[in-house]
């Protein structure tokens, strides 16, 4: 007897994003109700009655957060789970196999190494991890220029981050010393026999930003020879961007080879990489800068209504030098970091599916889960170091912000794709390293074009939106030979350390010939509110032209007088103009002064994030 055929009932399935909206909305409702009930219960216990105003206020704020999150998730309903699987090179860079990192010195450079030292060079690297990294890299170059013995760099402990870590807590100091030995002699500390004498003779100086080698040779070298020791403070970006090719290659050898993290940091970072790869094979790493003070400093508006205006406005009042800027104008000029939702939309438009795995390195995100909810809906496989390892595993590093940042650096460096929502120090340093190590896919948002496009997203279909995102991102994807969006930062694009393989010219010539034969296409434009049109671009130019452009952009810095920031004490009247003293570094000095210095350091870092 034949078995009866099973009958199934078809059930209507809601879109994935819509379902997530329901899930997130339900969770938020539950949390809101629990918070209201618990608050009301405690009020009853403590005072015998329920105060109506606090209850109504809590209810209003909770429902406002729920509605805001649900609305943002609902706006993602048109995003398909997988968009255009025919897109090529989303996990690697086109023509990357034709280029390689090269940092070997020339014969002329090797013949110029002098045995006799002119004295000891001390530097204090300021800022966060990656800002300090640029200072350490440039300190080796400056030591070579001055023919000085470099003492292992000090890390500023009084900056905004308040991290007490020393060089040896973050970097492998023995590896560093041995790696740069062919270029510069580095010692861990002064010889005991001469320590007291040299310390008493030492000049504490601060040089201007991005000065030329000539400046060091004419202003600093005479002092070094006379005093036998010089201490350069606040040492970050204190050397010109444009240097002799051999000095640029020394920067590359130092940054990409000599500066290795300590074994505990490297092992923890690699453990996170291994766990990400065990889950997915390939993964995207996102460096998300979305802290409240960074958003406040940007002078941009991120859609949070009066609550956002009040909160960020209160933070802006801390900086007397920060002037009001029109938020719409700042966004049009590409000065606004992308929101988590905008980063997610950009990645999905570029062809990364909902099933892609995302590692997020971030500080404390403004509005927390409410800001992250759209990004998590677009990329449910969302991970951080806190979700990949236990609290016990992270415990040795947890109290040290630079060591935690170093762990994130390892995971981002090893990722298949790296993207940042900003143009800060870590984004630039990693971009340069990834170019040097094979042009691994590195995405920098074209914020100037995308900002206006995001505002007009719901006036067009998803297909049109995604097509325009791809057009706007040409030249911002980390491919070889693409024009940089910023001007002249060697740490972001180390041109002098990128070499072509012999077969590169022939292949590129064939590609150019094929492009010439293609019929020209009209360039599409996008209408946006009050902006007219946004033009598309093709930023790819030949290598030789790119080098000429860079030379023009990085014109030699004009000679500047040796200056000192306002927080420094006045120089002794008997000292020469070059010998301005740094303020006392007595550990018992005024805490308020330390706080002011920390604020200025943070402002300096934020200014760099929003520079071109």
């Amino acid at each position: 007897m034949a078995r009866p055929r099973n009958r199934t009932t078809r059930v209507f399935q809601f879109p994935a994003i819509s379902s997530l909206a329901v899930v997130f909305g339900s969770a938020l409702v539950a949390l809101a109700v629990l918070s209201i009930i618990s608050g009301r219960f405690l009020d009853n216990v403590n005072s015998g009655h329920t105060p109506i105003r606090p209850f109504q206020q809590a209810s209003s704020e909770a429902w406002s957060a729920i509605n805001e999150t649900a609305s943002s998730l609902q706006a993602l309903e048109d995003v398909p789970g997988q968009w255009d699987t025919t897109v090529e090179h989303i996990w690697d860079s086109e023509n990357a196999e034709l280029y390689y990192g090269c940092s070997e010195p020339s014969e002329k450079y090797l013949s110029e190494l002098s045995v006799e030292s002119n004295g000891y060079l001390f530097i204090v690297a300021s800022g966060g991890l990656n800002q300090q990294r640029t200072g350490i890299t440039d300190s080796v170059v400056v030591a070579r220029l001055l023919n000085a013995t470099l003492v292992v760099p000090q890390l500023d402990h009084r900056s905004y981050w308040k991290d007490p870590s020393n060089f040896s807590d973050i970097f492998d100091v023995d590896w560093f010393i041995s790696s740069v030995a062919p270029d510069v002699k580095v010692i861990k500390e002064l010889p005991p026999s001469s320590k007291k004498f040299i310390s008493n003779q030492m000049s504490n100086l601060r040089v201007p930003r991005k000065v030329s080698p000539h400046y060091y040779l004419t202003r600093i070298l005479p002092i070094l020879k006379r005093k036998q020791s010089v201490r350069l403070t606040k040492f970050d970006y204190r050397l010109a961007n444009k240097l002799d090719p051999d000095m640029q290659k020394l920067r590359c050898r130092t940054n990409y080879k000599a500066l290795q993290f300590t074994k505990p940091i490297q092992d923890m970072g690699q453990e996170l990489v291994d766990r990400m790869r065990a889950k997915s094979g390939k993964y995207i790493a996102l460096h998300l800068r979305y802290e409240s003070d960074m958003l406040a400093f940007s002078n941009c508006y991120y859609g949070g209504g009066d609550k956002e205006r009040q909160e960020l406005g209160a933070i802006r009042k801390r900086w007397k030098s920060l002037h009001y800027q029109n938020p719409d104008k700042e966004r049009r000029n590409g000065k606004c970091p992308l929101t988590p939702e905008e980063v997610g939309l950009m990645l999905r438009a570029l062809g990364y599916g909902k099933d892609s795995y995302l590692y997020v390195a971030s500080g404390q995100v403004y509005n927390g889960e409410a800001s992250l909810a759209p990004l998590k809906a677009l990329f449910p496989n969302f991970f951080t170091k806190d979700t990949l390892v236990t609290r016990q595993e992270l415990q040795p590093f947890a109290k040290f912000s630079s060591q935690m940042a170093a762990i994130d650096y390892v995971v981002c460096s090893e990722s298949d794709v790296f993207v940042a929502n900003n143009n800060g120090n870590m984004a630039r340093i990693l971009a340069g390293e990834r170019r040097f190590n094979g042009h691994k896919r590195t995405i920098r948002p074209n914020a100037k074009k995308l900002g206006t496009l995001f505002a007009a997203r719901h006036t067009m279909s998803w297909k049109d939106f995604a097509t325009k995102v791809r057009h706007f991102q040409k030249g911002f994807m980390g491919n070889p030979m693409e024009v940089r969006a910023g001007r002249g930062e060697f740490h972001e694009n180390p041109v002098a350390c990128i070499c072509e393989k012999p077969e590169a010219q022939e292949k590129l010539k064939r590609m150019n010939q094929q492009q010439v034969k293609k019929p020209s296409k009209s360039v599409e434009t996008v209408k946006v509110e009050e902006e007219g049109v946004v033009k598309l671009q093709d930023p790819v130019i030949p290598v030789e032209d790119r080098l000429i452009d860079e030379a023009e952009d990085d014109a030699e810095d004009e000679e500047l007088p040796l200056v000192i920031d306002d927080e420094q004490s006045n120089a002794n009247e008997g000292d020469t103009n070059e010998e301005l003293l740094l303020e006392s570094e007595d550990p018992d000095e005024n805490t308020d002064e330390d706080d002011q210095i920390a604020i200025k350091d943070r402002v300096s870092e934020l200014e760099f994030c929003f520079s071109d």
Side-chain angles (χ1 to χ4, degrees):
M1 180 176 178
R3 297 180 61 185
R5 183 178 298 173
N6 290 332
R7 295 184 180 273
T8 58
T9 303
R10 291 187 178 182
V11 179
F12 178 74
Q13 294 183 347
F14 291 95
I17 294 294
S18 183
S19 301
L20 282 169
V22 173
V23 171
F24 277 102
S26 300
L28 286 169
V29 170
L31 288 172
V33 171
L34 285 172
S35 65
I36 293 168
I37 293 173
S38 60
R40 191 172 186 180
F41 173 76
L42 290 174
D43 286 334
N44 279 324
V45 170
N46 295 330
S47 60
H49 67 280
T50 302
I52 300 300
R53 181 170 294 178
F55 173 83
Q56 290 175 338
Q57 183 179 358
S59 177
S60 174
E61 291 177 357
W63 280 108
S64 176
I66 292 168
N67 291 332
E68 182 182 341
T69 305
S71 176
S72 63
L73 292 174
Q74 187 177 7
L76 303 177
E77 288 183 340
D78 64 328
V79 183
Q82 178 65 54
W83 168 246
D84 195 356
T85 56
T86 63
V87 180
E88 297 180 343
H89 297 290
I90 66 171
W91 294 104
D92 59 6
S93 295
E94 189 174 5
N95 297 321
E97 71 280 1
L98 301 178
Y99 301 86
Y100 63 96
C102 53
S103 60
E104 295 76 16
S106 67
E107 292 183 5
K108 179 177 179 291
Y109 172 91
L110 293 173
S111 66
E112 293 175 345
L113 183 61
S114 176
V115 177
E116 186 176 352
S117 172
N118 288 323
Y120 295 99
L121 175 64
F122 296 77
I123 71 111
V124 181
S126 61
L129 172 69
N130 296 287
Q131 197 169 338
Q132 291 172 343
R133 191 173 184 123
T134 62
I136 295 167
T137 297
D138 285 349
S139 74
V140 174
V141 178
V142 170
R144 172 77 184 202
L145 287 170
L146 300 176
N147 189 29
T149 298
L150 178 66
V151 181
V152 169
Q154 295 175 270
L155 305 184
D156 186 3
H157 295 158
R158 298 195 300 163
S159 67
Y160 173 86
W161 293 264
K162 303 291 184 185
D163 188 329
S165 299
N166 294 316
F167 185 100
S168 59
D169 296 319
I170 300 173
F171 300 105
D172 186 332
V173 65
D174 293 323
W175 174 263
F176 174 74
I177 292 173
S178 62
S179 295
V180 301
D183 306 283
V184 171
K185 182 179 179 180
V186 181
I187 60 175
K188 293 182 180 179
E189 57 184 0
L190 291 172
S193 58
S194 55
K195 188 172 184 178
K196 184 175 181 181
F197 173 78
I198 291 175
S199 298
N200 291 335
Q201 291 290 312
M202 188 184 303
S203 290
N204 294 276
L205 312 173
R206 185 183 304 180
V207 299
R209 289 285 181 101
K210 298 186 177 181
V211 294
S212 67
H214 177 72
Y215 184 94
Y216 284 95
L217 294 174
T218 57
R219 302 292 183 88
I220 305 301
L221 183 58
I223 303 173
L224 176 65
K225 287 182 174 180
R226 186 169 72 251
K227 295 292 187 97
Q228 293 299 298
S229 62
V230 166
R231 184 170 181 257
L232 303 180
T233 64
K234 299 288 182 185
F235 200 80
D236 61 325
Y237 297 98
R238 304 288 168 172
L239 182 62
N241 192 59
K242 182 186 175 184
L243 299 175
D244 175 270
D246 272 320
M247 291 303 174
Q248 298 288 48
K249 290 185 177 183
L250 177 55
R251 270 176 164 166
C252 294
R253 291 196 298 277
T254 303
N255 197 5
Y256 308 140
K257 296 181 178 181
L259 281 178
Q260 301 293 324
F261 294 121
T262 60
K263 190 175 187 303
I265 289 174
Q266 190 66 40
D267 288 349
M268 177 52 66
Q270 190 59 49
E271 181 64 28
L272 290 167
V273 172
D274 293 342
R275 294 186 188 185
M276 285 298 295
R277 296 218 180 279
K279 293 176 180 294
S280 61
K282 296 179 179 179
Y283 69 93
I284 306 165
L286 164 63
H287 183 227
L288 182 64
R289 294 295 307 274
Y290 207 67
E291 304 94 336
S292 57
D293 63 341
M294 184 176 188
L295 301 188
F297 196 88
S298 72
N299 264 308
C300 299
Y301 174 66
Y302 298 91
D306 291 339
K307 177 176 178 289
E308 176 190 313
R309 292 188 182 95
Q310 292 172 4
E311 291 175 347
L312 299 188
I315 296 174
R316 290 188 187 103
K317 292 178 180 178
R318 301 176 189 171
W319 302 305
K320 295 179 181 179
S321 60
L322 184 63
H323 302 293
Y324 172 80
Q325 302 289 340
N326 184 290
D328 294 332
K329 183 178 179 181
E330 292 297 283
R331 188 166 294 278
R332 291 196 299 269
N333 290 335
K335 299 294 186 180
C336 301
L338 268 59
T339 68
E341 178 181 352
E342 289 169 345
V343 174
L345 287 170
M346 178 190 69
L347 289 173
R348 291 291 287 275
L350 290 172
Y352 299 97
K354 181 182 175 181
D355 58 348
S356 300
Y357 278 68
L358 185 68
Y359 178 88
V360 179
S362 70
Q364 187 172 358
V365 174
Y366 176 66
N367 270 346
E369 285 300 316
S371 294
L372 292 174
L375 178 60
K376 290 184 176 181
L378 290 165
F379 290 94
N381 299 312
F382 179 106
F383 297 92
T384 67
K385 57 179 173 291
D386 297 306
T387 62
L388 286 171
V389 296
T390 65
R391 186 175 298 180
Q392 289 72 23
E393 289 174 293
L394 280 178
Q395 192 274 332
F397 317 98
K399 294 182 180 180
F400 307 98
S401 60
S402 291
Q403 295 182 41
M404 292 287 273
I407 293 170
D408 277 333
Y409 188 101
V410 173
V411 185
C412 292
S413 176
E414 293 294 323
S415 66
D416 300 277
V417 176
F418 173 71
V419 60
N421 73 323
N422 68 96
N423 195 34
N425 290 298
M426 183 168 174
R428 296 190 190 197
I429 294 291
L430 270 168
E433 181 188 290
R434 291 171 69 86
R435 286 182 185 275
F436 183 82
N437 291 324
H439 285 88
K440 293 191 283 187
R441 173 63 73 211
T442 303
I443 302 171
R444 178 187 174 189
N446 183 353
K448 192 170 184 178
K449 299 292 186 181
L450 293 180
T452 50
L453 182 59
F454 285 129
R457 186 175 89 80
H458 291 294
T459 66
M460 64 189 80
S461 67
W462 170 259
K463 181 179 179 181
D464 289 342
F465 170 77
T467 300
K468 296 180 194 309
V469 168
R470 292 178 190 176
H471 277 299
F472 291 154
Q473 281 302 120
K474 287 182 180 179
F476 294 79
M477 300 294 289
N479 290 324
M481 295 179 60
E482 70 181 17
V483 173
R484 288 176 301 162
R487 287 199 170 196
E489 279 301 333
F490 180 79
H491 294 292
E492 183 179 3
N493 189 9
V495 178
C497 303
I498 306 296
C499 294
E500 290 180 344
K501 293 182 179 179
E503 63 270 24
Q505 287 296 329
E506 185 61 32
K507 182 173 180 179
L508 294 173
K509 184 178 179 181
R510 291 197 304 269
M511 290 175 59
N512 289 333
Q513 289 173 346
Q514 292 173 358
Q515 289 179 353
V516 170
K517 293 178 181 179
K518 291 181 179 179
S520 60
K521 297 181 180 180
S522 60
V523 178
E524 291 186 89
T525 57
V526 183
K527 277 191 174 184
V528 294
E529 298 178 16
E530 303 177 359
E531 278 302 301
V533 293
V534 178
K535 295 180 180 179
L536 304 181
Q537 57 186 8
D538 182 11
V540 179
I541 59 174
V543 171
E544 56 272 19
D545 293 343
R546 178 161 57 94
L547 291 172
I548 293 172
D549 288 344
E550 180 181 358
E552 292 174 350
D553 286 342
D554 299 334
E556 184 174 345
D557 295 316
E558 61 177 333
E559 286 304 318
L560 302 170
L562 190 62
V563 296
I564 203 160
D565 287 351
D566 292 337
E567 73 262 24
Q568 305 285 7
S569 61
N570 294 326
N572 294 336
E573 293 181 0
D575 289 338
T576 62
N577 188 40
E578 291 89 351
E579 298 178 40
L580 299 175
L581 295 177
L582 183 66
E583 76 278 12
S584 169
E585 298 201 357
D586 186 342
D588 296 328
E589 66 188 352
N590 194 308
T591 304
D592 292 338
E593 186 178 353
D594 278 351
D595 291 341
Q596 290 301 314
I597 293 172
I599 291 172
K600 288 185 178 182
D601 285 341
R602 181 60 165 170
V603 169
S604 176
E605 192 235 359
L606 292 171
E607 285 174 342
F608 186 83
C609 289
F610 296 106
S611 64
D612 291 331

